[in-house]
Amino acid sequence: MILPKPSLEDIEIKLLLEGIYQYYGHDFRNYAVSSLKRRIYSFMRLEGVNNISALQEQLLHDRTCLERFLLNLTVNVTSMFRDPSFYLAFRNQVVPILRTYPFIRIWHAGCSSGEEVYSMAILLQEENLYHRCRIYATDTNEKVLQNAKSGIFSLKMMQEYTQLYLKAGGKQSFSEYYTAAYDHAIFRASLRENIIFAQHNLATDSSFNEFNVIFCRNVLIYFNQILQKRVHTLFHNSLCSFGILGLGKQESIRFTPYEQYYEEIAKGEKLYRRLN
């Protein structure tokens, strides 16, 4: 059987990603190809680079260029209480389970700039569970982690977030959780007390604890099947018996090697419980 000859573009992209992995340790080799190509070419236009080989040379010799590249390549689109029905289902279906635990470990994998982490901290405070929780918020991108640690977000988004918060079953006035300062909203320091922000790469790093809950929402859609399988293995091995896995709207455990080891606990909301 004669395999089709790879295009020059495919060869250049493969060499680019391999070079970044070998030199810097960032592994994008199993990201979904179509999304990856769009972001690479978008970055090339921003940098005024004519071809991928020239981009590789620039990235390998200029770390500041790599940092800009990472910000462009990793997807950092998120919001507070995104898909509010998910949070409402979590409040109604998962919180009663969590009440039975003396201590709760939660992992937000691929947390981006932290909006969903703070959303969960607010929910857990309202359910009087936050004081016995430890939330680990991880991402491969150091820059967005720094933003997440600050707890400072755009004030112009607060009206939209307030509506999402209410739809998610919010019990107070959303404005009580932040202070407005010029064009920013600074969230209460108490929301960060039990959150640990740390760098973690789903493509290369291993498990670092056992968790009662793992969230990884709207991240897996950017990975190919090889990397998705790796991440599902990581999550399955990191969840305690009867632990909860929360995925994004377009993601699922169906057709993964671990489908049989979970049960859906909130129909349509991508909330699963690991079977013993």
Side-chain angles (χ1 to χ4, degrees):
M1 181 179 177
I2 300 176
L3 296 174
K5 184 179 179 180
S7 68
L8 180 59
E9 177 192 52
D10 290 339
I11 293 171
E12 284 186 308
I13 288 176
K14 184 177 181 180
L15 290 172
L16 170 70
L17 300 179
E18 187 65 33
I20 291 171
Y21 174 64
Q22 292 291 337
Y23 194 65
Y24 294 110
H26 297 286
D27 194 353
F28 298 101
R29 295 172 299 174
N30 287 310
Y31 275 51
V33 175
S34 59
S35 174
L36 201 58
K37 283 183 178 179
R38 286 196 303 270
R39 292 182 177 277
I40 288 173
Y41 281 112
S42 170
F43 183 74
M44 287 169 58
R45 288 192 295 271
L46 290 172
E47 295 288 314
V49 178
N50 294 324
N51 59 68
I52 297 170
S53 293
L55 176 63
Q56 176 179 309
E57 180 180 4
Q58 192 165 314
L59 288 171
L60 295 181
H61 290 88
D62 184 355
R63 192 175 187 91
T64 59
C65 181
L66 174 84
E67 292 170 358
R68 295 194 300 272
F69 180 73
L70 293 179
L71 281 173
N72 191 76
L73 200 61
T74 52
V75 181
N76 302 308
V77 179
T78 185
S79 71
M80 300 195 76
F81 295 97
R82 176 165 57 170
D83 304 321
S85 60
F86 174 90
Y87 288 90
L88 189 60
F90 186 91
R91 198 186 286 266
N92 294 333
Q93 304 296 324
V94 178
V95 164
I97 298 171
L98 299 184
R99 292 195 193 283
T100 66
Y101 300 150
F103 189 76
I104 304 157
R105 283 187 294 271
I106 299 172
W107 179 15
H108 277 268
C111 71
S112 188
S113 47
E115 283 88 340
E116 293 193 56
V117 181
Y118 287 94
S119 300
M120 187 53 57
I122 289 171
L123 187 155
L124 292 167
Q125 273 199 359
E126 292 186 350
E127 297 297 332
N128 197 30
L129 283 175
Y130 188 64
H131 64 284
R132 48 186 161 118
C133 290
R134 180 63 49 84
I135 300 176
Y136 298 82
T138 67
D139 200 274
T140 187
N141 193 312
E142 287 187 74
K143 178 66 175 177
V144 297
L145 279 174
Q146 290 301 319
N147 293 338
K149 285 181 185 179
S150 73
I152 300 174
F153 303 105
S154 172
L155 186 62
K156 67 181 181 181
M157 298 302 299
M158 291 306 112
Q159 185 173 357
E160 177 185 340
Y161 291 170
T162 297
Q163 296 305 312
L164 294 173
Y165 163 76
L166 294 173
K167 290 178 181 177
K171 297 181 176 181
Q172 299 188 43
S173 171
F174 187 61
S175 60
E176 292 183 19
Y177 292 107
Y178 65 86
T179 301
Y182 299 102
D183 57 348
H184 292 97
I186 305 171
F187 276 77
R188 289 195 324 213
S190 62
L191 293 173
R192 295 192 295 276
E193 286 179 355
N194 295 343
I195 303 174
I196 297 173
F197 291 97
Q199 191 174 28
H200 182 278
N201 191 330
L202 291 172
T204 56
D205 295 338
S206 57
S207 178
F208 57 94
N209 213 325
E210 184 179 62
F211 298 95
N212 304 104
V213 181
I214 295 177
F215 297 109
C216 186
R217 306 188 65 231
N218 307 297
V219 176
L220 293 171
I221 53 174
Y222 298 104
F223 298 164
N224 68 12
Q225 289 186 339
I226 295 172
L227 187 49
Q228 286 184 18
K229 181 180 178 182
R230 182 194 194 279
V231 174
H232 276 295
T233 300
L234 175 64
F235 290 163
H236 183 263
N237 294 340
S238 301
L239 272 175
C240 65
S241 295
F242 305 112
I244 305 299
L245 175 65
L247 302 177
K249 281 284 188 185
Q250 300 178 56
E251 299 162 340
S252 176
I253 57 165
R254 292 194 65 194
F255 310 116
T256 73
Y258 299 95
E259 181 178 359
Q260 61 183 313
Y261 300 114
Y262 290 94
E263 63 177 354
E264 190 176 30
I265 60 171
K267 189 169 178 62
E269 295 302 336
K270 306 302 173 70
L271 277 168
Y272 307 95
R273 192 176 190 183
R274 185 187 188 277
L275 301 175
N276 192 7

